[in-house]
Amino acid sequence: MVRPERYRWVGVAAANVGPVTPVSAPPRVAAHLRAVGDGPAPVLHRGPDAVYAEVAGRCVGVVGTRATAVPCALRSSLDRLPDVAAASVVGGVLQLDGEPLVIGRMVDVSVPRLAMTGAPGGVDVASLVGRGDGLTPYGDDVLCGWLAVTRAAGVPTPEVDAEVRSLASTTTLLSATLLDCAMHGEALPEFVAWLAGTGSVEAVERIGHTSGRGLVEGARLALSGLERVAA
């Protein structure tokens, strides 16, 4: 069955390319795919809403319209992803079962800049990394919220960053990648909207089973030591 979200290349090489799936991508995900060599990308998780693969030591996701749009994922307009047996990277393009996911546009996943003073509330990294169940343990979600807020506030946290990186191998690859995203000021759209004042905390808390609540807990911990600067 032909899906309307697919299209074919047009031009001289069209006959040799076949069907492709258009996606949008966070800039760092697109750059990572361009930088790695050709080869298989082991599938870490597969489902009708999201597929996650390991690409040169990082987790790269492919999400449909019903999935959480994590900042390390390519976003498609598919309501349901096909069953996926294998993934690979060819010429800087992620392929699922040989079908290229062609990036048509970039999507901004960066947190807003917040004018704030003070120091963020403290966080115990060792007691959080990898603590909890699932692809993104609750402790990691708390850290992601804390880190994302410090980036929004423009507060450097070199000691925390170093400890997070040293412990990254003790959690899931998806969670470790999301921690790296948070350290680069990248977050979920619901979280970004909440920080920007255009979304609700309830929308964040509804993410996943516990992920949203973890993000909010970490964000509020960081915000407990910060004050907004009057415009």
Side-chain angles (χ1 to χ4, degrees):
M1 181 176 68
V2 177
R3 294 176 296 183
E5 294 85 358
R6 294 186 181 182
Y7 63 86
R8 289 180 179 272
W9 283 110
V10 294
V12 177
N16 298 322
V17 175
V20 301
T21 298
V23 294
S24 57
R28 287 205 313 131
V29 175
H32 182 65
L33 290 172
R34 290 194 301 267
V36 302
D38 293 357
V43 176
L44 305 172
H45 168 82
R46 70 198 80 200
D49 298 322
V51 173
Y52 294 105
E54 179 180 355
V55 178
R58 287 181 60 84
C59 182
V60 174
V62 182
V63 298
T65 57
R66 299 182 300 178
T68 301
V70 293
C72 63
L74 303 172
R75 303 180 188 180
S76 79
S77 60
L78 300 175
D79 293 329
R80 183 181 179 87
L81 299 182
D83 293 333
V84 174
S88 61
V89 177
V90 178
V93 176
L94 183 66
Q95 299 189 356
L96 299 181
D97 290 335
E99 182 169 323
L101 305 178
V102 176
I103 298 170
R105 66 182 181 89
M106 296 296 173
V107 57
D108 186 9
V109 295
S110 58
V111 295
R113 290 306 302 266
L114 303 177
M116 310 195 81
T117 61
V123 66
D124 185 351
V125 175
S127 70
L128 291 172
V129 174
R131 305 295 174 147
D133 300 322
L135 289 173
T136 61
Y138 186 83
D140 296 338
D141 295 326
V142 172
L143 274 172
C144 281
W146 189 93
L147 288 163
V149 165
T150 62
R151 272 43 183 186
V155 178
T157 59
E159 293 181 359
V160 170
D161 298 358
E163 191 171 6
V164 169
R165 291 189 176 100
S166 71
L167 294 172
S169 63
T170 65
T171 190
T172 67
L173 185 61
L174 172 57
S175 212
T177 302
L178 291 176
L179 285 166
D180 179 73
C181 288
M183 285 188 282
H184 282 83
E186 300 167 346
L188 298 171
E190 297 89 345
F191 189 86
V192 170
W194 174 49
L195 288 185
T198 59
S200 68
V201 68
E202 291 80 12
V204 181
E205 291 176 331
R206 287 194 294 267
I207 296 170
H209 294 294
T210 61
S211 291
R213 294 197 297 274
L215 288 169
V216 171
E217 180 180 332
R220 285 177 168 160
L221 179 60
L223 289 168
S224 67
L226 298 168
E227 293 184 6
R228 288 185 180 271
V229 176

